[in-house]
Amino acid sequence: MDLLVVVPHPDDESFGSGGALLLAKRAGLRTGVLTLTRGEAGRTLGLCPREALGQVRTEELRKAAAILEVDHLEVLDFPNGLPQGAEGEGRGQARGPGLLEHPEAEAAIRERLLGLRPRFVLTFPPDGLNGHPDHVAASRYATRAAEGLAQVVYFVRPEGPWPVTHRLRLPEWALVRKLQALAQHRTQALSVLGFMERYPERLWVESFYVVGRSPAEEVREEPWW
């Protein structure tokens, strides 16, 4: 394994690193996605019963991963928590407060890293990009689990608190496939549309911070691998 994406929910892999996964695969690297929950607390949009959302989102992820051409996909079953203020109808069944209450996820990630031996682990930055507690927890656990095993890379906002060391401008073919992957997450269509409305430029330009690199270095318009 060369590049392993570690995220909490189905669809996180496509938003933050869909292009990177495609370009890495085109470069001959072996890629993978490890998702820590089944996303059972997301929106259903009336497309499935609340109790079936985790199963449906897992299948959506499998379809997206096939489009992104990942070599390895694994979905763990830690509970998906709700961000503050997200309670209400139209969502699946959340199981407890989420990943922050399950530090044993770190050991589960490390176990996979010992088996897969990726060179790079790609995950959320410590602020989770949008503050979602599951994003924050996934970053914390993945970063710790990778110590001594792999180079950690964060997908970051261009204007965020974390420096950008590498920027990938997706060619047309990669953008098309990334959009196709996002479209597989049908139950989360409102999130997809919201992302497109707020951050359209991040669909075809993905920004990354290779942890430990000096922020004073010039941003490189090329892959880090």
Side-chain angles (χ1 to χ4, degrees):
M1 184 68 60
D2 294 291
L3 172 62
L4 181 66
V5 175
V6 180
V7 289
H9 314 121
D11 77 16
D12 291 333
E13 80 299 327
S14 299
F15 280 120
S17 57
L21 285 166
L22 287 163
L23 294 179
K25 183 65 176 178
R26 181 62 61 94
L29 276 64
R30 286 185 57 80
T31 62
V33 172
L34 175 63
T35 305
L36 304 180
T37 82
R38 298 183 180 275
E40 67 275 6
R43 296 181 178 92
T44 67
L45 298 188
L47 296 175
C48 66
R50 295 178 64 226
E51 61 273 13
L53 182 61
Q55 179 181 351
V56 170
R57 292 194 70 183
T58 299
E59 185 56 33
E60 291 175 341
L61 173 61
R62 295 191 192 284
K63 293 176 181 178
I67 291 171
L68 297 175
E69 302 179 29
V70 302
D71 297 291
H72 176 84
L73 174 64
E74 185 175 5
V75 183
L76 303 184
D77 197 31
F78 289 102
N80 175 194
L82 281 174
Q84 188 174 7
E87 297 82 1
E89 297 181 0
R91 287 185 173 271
Q93 294 179 317
R95 294 182 293 127
L99 279 174
L100 281 174
E101 298 297 320
H102 289 270
E104 66 272 19
E106 180 182 329
I109 297 170
R110 190 167 180 87
E111 179 182 352
R112 272 70 183 178
L113 299 186
L114 287 168
L116 295 170
R117 292 291 180 178
R119 294 190 294 126
F120 299 100
V121 168
L122 180 56
T123 191
F124 281 98
D127 63 356
L129 286 183
N130 61 3
H132 191 302
D134 282 353
H135 294 184
V136 172
S139 175
R140 181 181 305 166
Y141 301 152
T143 300
R144 291 176 180 172
E147 289 182 4
L149 296 178
Q151 170 67 60
V152 176
V153 182
Y154 296 145
F155 40 83
V156 297
R157 299 189 306 273
E159 72 287 355
W162 306 96
V164 176
T165 58
H166 293 74
R167 186 182 295 118
L168 298 182
R169 298 183 184 275
L170 306 186
E172 182 177 345
W173 70 266
L175 174 60
V176 168
R177 293 190 70 83
K178 178 177 178 176
L179 291 174
Q180 288 175 328
L182 283 168
Q184 304 311 305
H185 297 286
R186 297 176 64 233
T187 58
Q188 308 311 299
L190 292 180
S191 296
V192 174
L193 290 174
F195 185 90
M196 290 180 174
E197 181 179 22
R198 293 191 302 272
Y199 313 112
E201 69 285 351
R202 285 169 57 187
L203 291 172
W204 71 87
V205 181
E206 296 180 353
S207 300
F208 303 92
Y209 169 48
V210 179
V211 176
R213 294 284 180 89
S214 170
E217 294 180 8
E218 184 178 355
V219 176
R220 302 179 65 173
E221 303 280 344
E222 61 184 8
W224 64 84
W225 53 77

